[in-house]
Amino acid sequence: MSSKDIMEKGEKYLLHTYNRYPIVLERGEGVYLYDTDGNKYLDFGAGIAVFALGYGNSKFNDAIKAQTEKLIHTSNLFYNVPAVEAAEKICALTGLDRVFFTNSGTEAIEGAIKAARKVAYTRDSHTDHEMIAMEHSFHGRSYGALSVTGNPHYREPFGPGIGNIKFAKFNDLDSVKALINDKTCGIIFETVQGEGGIYPATEEFIKGVRQLCDEKGILLILDEIQCGMGRTGSMFAFEKYGVRPDILTLAKALGCGIPVGAFLMSEAVAEKSLVPGDHGSTYGGNPLATAAVCEVLRQFEEKDIVGNVRNLSPLFEDKLNGLKNKYGFIKDVRGAGFMRAIELDRSVGDIVKEAQKMGLIVLTAGANIIRLVPPLVIGEEDINEMYRILDEVFSKIE
Ligand SMILES: *Cc1c(COP(=O)(O)O)cnc(C)c1O
């Protein structure tokens, strides 16, 4: 089948929930992707911040193959070796005590919301607790996650959501304070807002919310589905602020493409929240998915993936500042580590397509923002190449 045929069939049979780019991706190698016409792309999207370790990673592929030979699925009615190993590792890394593995990010958010509500219910037996989420946040597409997602465009057509959710302004502590009352059971936000445009939490905000939560017995839920797993230059973005959440959500790079997510919590939260019968998942944490997690975490350590992000972050920032200084239509560049945004004074749709034609894949975050979330294994030469292509694309604009 030609690329054109595949695209036509895709348009015919796949539910039209995405405006796809006219490219059929076929295989990957390192930080490069190849389409069915043989074109090569430097990938600064990583399948939406998923494929941290680069493509065609033979040890990763071997680990999955080996697990496939042994056992793909068991259900959670039994123990399995990879799930226990992955759980021990991820608890040690996060400093949290217990984990529940899910199949996606949105499911991790569902679990986090249920856990927070259950803690409050255990305390007072009421069923009218409230949560505070942030404007411009993104937490996923299932109902609970959608209900705490701050972008009304995603939420409104599907109302009513789960209810009792209030939205504060991100990085505005007073706006959070103003919404807290006796019914507030949790405050949820992304440590670095992703889809909303790459906005890191300020130190004042995250520390302030942590303190408010401690004073009032509210749970702090941090969503690090996108910004976690080394992306910002520390294993988890919250580490840099010297705070720890009560509940943490992970996905995306956790399985590097094998669908897996997780929500974690402190022992104090676990004791008062989900007990047998309260929550479950047929697939969640199955041996195939958690074998992938184990191998991802092993390679993070072996290759010092986080160190690579930290080392190259100044170069990345330099290059983006260089573009900003050169082009008046760039309003802002921001982010941390390998999670960066270029905000323009205009729509970036055509710019993204032009970059693709020149062999660079980038993402967007809203109409005016280019989002750069490359695999975490890129080298200096890849950042220079990204700069060269964007420079050329930008130079043609006016
Ligand atoms: C992608 C994302 C989600 C949803 O994850 P899915 O796996 O697509 O369900 C939730 N929160 C954040 C911050 C994300 O970036």
Side-chain angles (χ1 to χ4, degrees):
M1 244 194 302
S2 74
S3 307
K4 190 166 157 282
D5 290 340
I6 293 164
M7 288 188 255
E8 274 172 16
K9 274 207 177 150
E11 285 306 303
K12 184 163 177 220
Y13 290 110
L14 295 169
L15 190 65
H16 196 205
T17 55
Y18 286 94
N19 289 314
R20 291 180 165 83
Y21 296 112
I23 293 173
V24 185
L25 292 173
E26 189 173 47
R27 67 189 177 88
E29 216 178 286
V31 296
Y32 286 93
L33 286 165
Y34 296 82
D35 68 18
T36 41
D37 296 324
N39 297 307
K40 178 180 174 183
Y41 305 90
L42 176 61
D43 180 23
F44 268 58
I48 317 192
V50 168
F51 222 101
L53 296 173
Y55 303 100
N57 182 309
S58 55
K59 281 192 178 160
F60 181 67
N61 296 348
D62 287 347
I64 292 166
K65 277 181 217 157
Q67 190 58 48
T68 308
E69 302 290 329
K70 274 193 217 161
L71 190 62
I72 292 175
H73 181 74
T74 55
S75 90
N76 283 306
L77 304 178
F78 301 91
Y79 298 95
N80 74 73
V81 178
V84 174
E85 258 178 45
E88 184 181 17
K89 280 189 186 174
I90 201 74
C91 285
L93 283 169
T94 55
L96 292 166
D97 303 307
R98 289 183 183 268
V99 60
F100 184 101
F101 289 110
T102 65
N103 313 289
S104 65
T106 202
E107 285 169 81
I109 300 290
E110 299 299 321
I113 294 171
K114 281 180 73 175
R117 283 186 166 184
K118 181 73 194 292
V119 168
Y121 176 82
T122 303
R123 190 161 52 211
D124 64 15
S125 303
H126 292 172
T127 55
D128 59 351
H129 299 107
E130 296 177 1
M131 289 185 66
I132 299 173
M134 301 299 142
E135 292 175 5
H136 306 292
S137 63
F138 180 83
H139 297 290
R141 305 292 196 156
S142 53
Y143 261 100
L146 194 61
S147 301
V148 292
T149 285
N151 186 340
H153 169 77
Y154 288 143
R155 212 177 53 233
E156 256 168 30
F158 308 102
I162 63 169
N164 290 17
I165 308 293
K166 292 172 168 173
F167 289 96
K169 286 195 165 55
F170 189 53
N171 282 337
D172 180 342
L173 195 57
D174 287 337
S175 84
V176 174
K177 263 185 210 162
L179 297 179
I180 291 178
N181 61 35
D182 292 346
K183 295 184 195 300
T184 312
C185 70
I187 300 177
I188 181 168
F189 59 91
E190 298 150 85
T191 317
V192 181
Q193 284 193 334
E195 306 292 318
I198 316 290
Y199 291 99
T202 61
E203 185 160 348
E204 185 198 357
F205 181 73
I206 201 166
K207 284 192 160 150
V209 174
R210 179 68 272 180
Q211 198 184 339
L212 280 174
C213 286
D214 290 341
E215 284 167 12
K216 301 188 186 282
I218 297 167
L219 299 179
L220 173 61
I221 304 166
L222 291 181
D223 179 353
E224 296 220 0
I225 288 169
Q226 186 162 165
C227 66
M229 297 299 293
R231 181 144 298 277
T232 65
S234 52
M235 191 64 194
F236 302 101
F238 67 77
E239 289 169 27
K240 281 190 238 176
Y241 301 91
V243 299
R244 205 189 301 285
D246 302 296
I247 301 176
L248 175 71
T249 58
L250 301 173
K252 293 204 162 90
L254 181 64
C256 276
I258 297 294
V260 57
F263 63 97
L264 293 104
M265 60 187 76
S266 64
E267 189 62 37
V269 174
E271 274 169 8
K272 296 189 185 104
S273 66
L274 304 173
V275 297
D278 275 348
H279 199 57
S281 168
T282 302
Y283 289 145
N286 89 8
L288 182 65
T290 46
V293 175
C294 289
E295 179 59 18
V296 167
L297 296 178
R298 200 192 62 72
Q299 290 199 25
F300 261 70
E301 204 179 313
E302 180 188 87
K303 297 181 177 169
D304 189 17
I305 298 290
V306 181
N308 187 55
V309 178
R310 212 179 298 125
N311 291 340
L312 292 179
S313 182
L315 176 70
F316 204 151
E317 189 168 349
D318 251 26
K319 290 292 175 195
L320 297 191
N321 280 329
L323 290 171
K324 179 167 184 269
N325 293 335
K326 199 163 167 185
Y327 298 104
F329 52 78
I330 298 182
K331 279 171 63 185
D332 191 23
V333 292
R334 59 175 173 268
F338 288 179
M339 184 175 183
R340 304 241 171 213
I342 307 174
E343 182 172 347
L344 272 59
D345 67 1
R346 62 197 70 195
S347 160
V348 297
D350 290 340
I351 295 170
V352 168
K353 284 183 194 156
E354 194 54 34
Q356 286 167 1
K357 280 184 196 148
M358 300 195 53
L360 174 69
I361 290 179
V362 298
L363 305 179
T364 61
N368 298 346
I369 297 170
I370 295 172
R371 175 169 38 148
L372 303 165
V373 284
L376 304 185
V377 294
I378 56 166
E380 210 178 307
E381 65 286 0
D382 302 314
I383 293 175
N384 289 331
E385 178 70 358
M386 174 272 304
Y387 172 84
R388 192 191 63 72
I389 294 176
L390 283 183
D391 186 26
E392 195 169 335
V393 172
F394 289 154
S395 72
K396 290 184 207 154
I397 300 176
E398 220 59 65

